[in-house]
Amino acid sequence: MTRPPFPRALTAGLLATGLLLTAGCGAEVEQKAADGKPDTVTVSNCGKEVTYTRPERAVAYDVSGAEKMFALGLAGRMRGYVMNKLGDPAIKGSPWREKYTEVERLGTERITREIVVDANADWVLAGWNSGFSEERGITPALLDKVGVASYLHTETCWDYGKKNARDTDVSPLQALYTDLDNLGRIFGVEKRADKLVKDLKNRVAAVKKTWPDKGDPAKVFVYDSGTDQPFTAGRHAAPDSIITAAGGTNVFGDLDKGWTTVGWEPVIKAKPDVIVIVDYADQPAKEKIAYLKSLPSLKSVPAVKNNRFHVMSYGDVVSGPRNVTGAEDLGRYLRSVGR
C-alpha cells in the first residue's frame, strides 16, 4: 500500500534530531506541542504505520469524513469539506447540521487534488474509490508529492489494500470505531474519542437487548438504486453492520464487496423479509418503493408482498457515527413487524 503521506523533509529533520519516543497504546510521538499533547503521532491506517503532524487545515470528503470530524468536535480544525449535492438531504437531517454551516463547503461534486491544493489543506480524510481515486488523480501518493497528508476510512481498506498490506478483516462498525480512535490520536482529542466510541458501543449493546428471543433473524435487502441491476451493500459496507446490530441479516453479507451491483435473480432467490431503501436527493424513497412494487418478478418476495420497506437516510448508511442511529431505527422497525 502507498503510505499515507507525511512531509518527507519534516520526517527527515525530526528523525535526525533523535526525538523519536515511544508512547502508550502503540503510538509513537516525536515532540510535545505547547499544550503538552504530542505534536506528531503514528497510527495504523490500512495496515501501514503512518506518522502525522497534528493537522490544522483538514479537508473531509462526504458525510463520512465530515461527520466523523464534527462528532469529535474538530470543526475548528477544518479548512472545509467537499460533498456531492446528492448528500444535501443528509445534511438537513444531520445532528451536526449547524457545523455544516460553520465549515466552508469547498465543492459540490467529487473531491479533487486541485480543491485540496487551492484550499491550502494539510490533511485529507476520504475513502478509497469514494474519494481517493487513481483514475481521478487524487491518491495518498499524489497528495504526498504536494506535501498533504491523508487518512483513508478503514471501511474502504479492503479495496485499497488489495495491492498492499491489509488489516481489513473487521466489520464496518469496528472500522468506524478504529477511525474515531485514530482521529482522536491524530488530532490530540483522545478522551473525546474514547467517550464517543464508548457511547456508540453502549447504544449498539442496547439495541441488541431488544432482539427477539426466538426465530431466525429477518433477512434484509438494501436497495440503493439501479433498474437493470440493483446497487446494494456487501459485507464491507456500513449497512451490513447496521443490519446485524439491528438484529437482522444482510442477504448479500456474504459478498466480499462494499457497495456493489447484483442481479435481480439473486434478490428474488434470497427472499428478503424487509427492504431498506436508501433515500437521497435525486432518487426519493417513494419513487424507489413504487418501482420495486411495479416489478412483476418481485411480487412473490416477502418484503414486497407484505409491504415491508424501511427508509434510511444516505447519511445513516455511509461510514460514520450515524450508523448507530441507523441501527436503532432499523431495530425499532424490525420489532414493529415482529422480527
Side-chain angles (χ1 to χ4, degrees), residues 220-224 243 274-278 310-312 317 330:
V220 181
F221 165 55
V222 178
Y223 180 58
D224 175 277
I243 293 167
V274 171
I275 297 177
V276 165
I277 304 292
V278 181
H310 176 67
V311 178
M312 294 182 67
V317 301
L330 179 58

Side-chain angles (χ1 to χ4, degrees), residues 157-168:
C157 289
W158 69 274
D159 196 11
Y160 182 76
K162 284 179 180 177
K163 303 175 184 177
N164 308 281
R166 297 174 64 176
D167 62 347
T168 61

Side-chain angles (χ1 to χ4, degrees), residues 14-15 18-24 26-32 38 40-42:
L14 290 171
L15 291 177
L19 293 175
L20 192 63
L21 302 173
T22 301
E28 294 177 340
V29 297
E30 300 190 21
Q31 60 185 13
K32 294 287 184 179
T40 59
V41 63
T42 299

Side-chain angles (χ1 to χ4, degrees), residues 113 118-119 155 177 180-181 198 225 265 290 298 307 327 332:
R113 189 166 36 154
D118 289 347
E155 182 203 35
Y177 303 148
L180 294 174
D181 284 336
K198 183 178 180 180
S225 57
E265 191 59 35
L298 294 186
N307 196 34
R332 281 190 286 269

Side-chain angles (χ1 to χ4, degrees), residues 6-307:
F6 178 69
R8 293 190 180 93
L10 180 56
T11 303
L14 290 171
L15 291 177
T17 61
L19 293 175
L20 192 63
L21 302 173
T22 301
C25 301
E28 294 177 340
V29 297
E30 300 190 21
Q31 60 185 13
K32 294 287 184 179
D35 60 5
K37 290 183 178 293
D39 187 53
T40 59
V41 63
T42 299
V43 303
S44 178
N45 185 214
C46 291
K48 289 291 186 180
E49 297 300 305
V50 187
T51 301
Y52 299 93
T53 57
R54 227 189 299 171
E56 296 294 340
R57 301 183 307 280
V59 169
Y61 178 62
D62 203 58
V63 174
S64 292
E67 296 196 355
K68 286 174 185 175
M69 296 290 287
F70 295 157
L72 289 169
L74 296 171
R77 305 277 286 280
M78 295 176 66
R79 174 62 184 83
Y81 69 94
V82 179
M83 189 180 301
N84 193 291
K85 291 180 180 179
L86 297 182
D88 287 355
I91 293 177
K92 292 179 181 178
S94 172
W96 299 284
R97 54 188 172 274
E98 291 184 3
K99 297 300 179 184
Y100 279 108
T101 65
E102 295 173 10
V103 178
E104 184 178 356
R105 188 169 185 171
L106 301 172
T108 56
E109 295 182 6
R110 297 271 194 160
I111 191 169
T112 66
R113 189 166 36 154
E114 290 72 24
I115 288 175
V116 171
V117 172
D118 289 347
N120 194 29
D122 61 1
W123 186 87
V124 177
L125 172 62
W128 186 249
N129 284 332
S130 59
F132 298 124
S133 166
E134 290 179 351
E135 291 75 15
R136 292 188 296 103
I138 178 169
T139 67
L142 291 172
L143 289 177
D144 189 26
K145 291 180 179 180
V146 293
V148 180
S150 60
Y151 181 93
L152 292 102
H153 296 302
T154 302
E155 182 203 35
T156 66
C157 289
W158 69 274
D159 196 11
Y160 182 76
K162 284 179 180 177
K163 303 175 184 177
N164 308 281
R166 297 174 64 176
D167 62 347
T168 61
D169 192 19
V170 295
S171 71
L173 266 183
Q174 184 57 54
L176 167 64
Y177 303 148
T178 295
D179 286 343
L180 294 174
D181 284 336
N182 281 344
L183 295 179
R185 292 162 63 189
I186 291 169
F187 285 87
V189 292
E190 294 93 333
K191 290 183 179 179
R192 196 177 298 161
D194 289 344
K195 184 177 185 301
L196 176 59
V197 171
K198 183 178 180 180
D199 176 63
L200 293 174
K201 288 181 176 179
N202 286 341
R203 288 168 60 191
V204 170
V207 175
K208 290 183 177 180
K209 289 180 180 179
T210 70
W211 291 2
D213 294 329
K214 299 179 180 179
D216 295 330
K219 293 182 290 185
V220 181
F221 165 55
V222 178
Y223 180 58
D224 175 277
S225 57
T227 53
D228 293 339
Q229 289 187 309
F231 194 60
T232 190
R235 75 180 185 92
H236 295 293
D240 190 70
S241 278
I242 293 171
I243 293 167
T244 299
T249 182
N250 176 13
V251 297
F252 292 111
D254 59 343
L255 293 182
D256 190 27
K257 299 283 187 179
W259 290 94
T260 188
T261 55
V262 296
W264 285 113
E265 191 59 35
V267 175
I268 298 166
K269 186 177 180 180
K271 298 180 180 179
D273 301 300
V274 171
I275 297 177
V276 165
I277 304 292
V278 181
D279 189 27
Y280 47 88
D282 69 334
Q283 298 181 47
K286 288 184 179 179
E287 293 181 10
K288 294 180 182 179
I289 293 172
Y291 173 71
L292 294 179
K293 287 182 174 180
S294 74
L295 295 177
S297 60
L298 294 186
K299 293 192 180 298
S300 63
V301 169
V304 176
K305 186 164 55 176
N306 296 316
N307 196 34

